[in-house]
Amino acid sequence: MNYEADSPPPPEAPGPPPASAATQTSEEVQPPAARKLIYHAEVKVKVTDVPRANQHMDSLIRAFGAYAEEVSETREADEWQHQMKIRVMPGRFQALLNGLGGLGTVEHKELSTEDVTAQHADVSARLRSKRALEQRYIALLSQARKVSDILEIEESMGKIREDIEATESRLRALNNEVAYSTITLLYYQPLSLPTPDRPVLSFGSRLLEAVYTGWQLLIELLLGLVSIWPLLLGLVAGGGLLRWWWRRRRARRAS
């Protein structure tokens, strides 16, 4: 089953803004209408047929222009599970989430929203600052004449380039999370355990089993008799007294 859909790749990190934008406040750079929100959902569904649910999910993913990642499927003796992470644009997030109810019985659904507006603005500002610093190093390198100065500037440029690449990677990750909401989906099908057939035993095996069973019964009987020895002792004593009384009575009648 192919879950990949023809969807545009996540947006790349934005380039540096005009110089005049550097003096704007964070509120002006990120107005309320342009909040950076990340939507997450965790859903667990009980289905009657996993292959049929796979086909249904394939149709849903294509219909909403989403794509799936981290897909896995496990089948054990009592349960058949299918897990996936679905990425979809925020405008289609809720509609796709509602469509998951057609898989079967929704047993768990948890939604969360994370506002990363301030974090995004901070990372963007740090990226602009590092890029500006890199440009200053480039200008200094073009003016340097001593080999020691050139080596020192190049070393500093290498460090700032590493910082820029790390910051760009972080900004791309934020943009990706904002551009595509995430649904972590698990659906499963309970499986009935088969009843094992009774093994066919040979005559010798059955004979040995019967001897073993008889021996166990004999041991249990002996242990039971030992455990009730006070009762047996009382019965013997009572029988002796009854026999003595009967003999004495017969002797009196004979006299």
Side-chain angles (χ1 to χ4, degrees):
M1 179 175 62
N2 181 18
Y3 288 110
E4 296 294 338
D6 296 332
S7 56
E12 295 293 328
S20 59
T23 59
Q24 294 178 341
T25 63
S26 59
E27 289 79 12
E28 292 173 333
V29 174
Q30 295 293 340
R35 307 299 294 178
K36 304 291 185 180
L37 303 177
I38 299 176
Y39 299 99
H40 291 276
E42 293 185 3
V43 183
K44 182 178 181 181
V45 185
K46 179 180 179 181
V47 302
T48 57
D49 188 278
V50 167
R52 186 181 303 170
N54 290 342
Q55 295 177 0
H56 185 70
M57 280 307 307
D58 188 34
S59 300
L60 281 178
I61 287 175
R62 291 182 179 278
F64 286 97
Y67 67 95
E69 59 184 20
E70 299 181 15
V71 180
S72 65
E73 187 169 297
T74 57
R75 181 166 182 167
E76 299 180 354
D78 59 343
E79 191 172 272
W80 190 354
Q81 283 191 1
H82 193 100
Q83 302 182 57
M84 66 172 65
K85 182 181 290 185
I86 307 169
R87 307 298 305 280
V88 63
M89 288 183 288
R92 302 174 180 178
F93 173 75
Q94 191 61 52
L96 177 56
L97 199 60
N98 295 336
L100 298 180
L103 293 173
T105 303
V106 178
E107 295 184 340
H108 174 77
K109 180 189 290 186
E110 182 176 348
L111 307 179
S112 63
T113 304
E114 182 182 3
D115 189 341
V116 294
T117 306
Q119 184 180 355
H120 189 280
D122 178 67
V123 174
S124 299
R126 285 192 285 116
L127 180 59
R128 290 193 297 270
S129 176
K130 293 179 186 297
R131 284 174 173 169
L133 181 58
E134 182 185 34
Q135 293 300 318
R136 288 198 294 271
Y137 278 129
I138 293 175
L140 289 174
L141 184 62
S142 64
Q143 300 172 5
R145 296 293 179 266
K146 295 182 179 180
V147 175
S148 58
D149 292 342
I150 293 175
L151 293 177
E152 183 178 356
I153 294 173
E154 287 180 343
E155 182 180 358
S156 299
M157 288 180 62
K159 293 180 181 179
I160 196 65
R161 170 45 53 184
E162 292 179 358
D163 292 342
I164 289 175
E165 291 176 354
T167 307
E168 286 176 340
S169 176
R170 177 56 184 157
L171 189 60
R172 282 194 297 268
L174 280 174
N175 287 335
N176 179 267
E177 291 292 325
V178 171
Y180 285 86
S181 303
T182 303
I183 300 175
T184 302
L185 173 64
L186 183 150
Y187 52 88
Y188 72 98
Q189 173 187 347
L191 301 175
S192 57
L193 296 175
T195 304
D197 297 332
R198 184 179 180 85
V200 179
L201 300 177
S202 63
F203 175 78
S205 300
R206 295 175 63 185
L207 180 61
L208 290 176
E209 183 180 0
V211 171
Y212 177 77
T213 303
W215 176 253
Q216 290 294 111
L217 290 175
L218 178 60
I219 292 177
E220 294 293 335
L221 178 60
L222 291 176
L223 292 176
L225 292 176
V226 171
S227 65
I228 61 172
W229 68 266
L231 178 60
L232 295 177
L233 182 61
L235 291 176
V236 171
L241 289 175
L242 182 61
R243 187 176 180 182
W244 173 81
W245 175 80
W246 180 254
R247 288 180 177 178
R248 184 176 180 184
R249 182 177 179 183
R250 288 181 61 186
R252 286 181 178 178
R253 288 181 179 178
S255 61

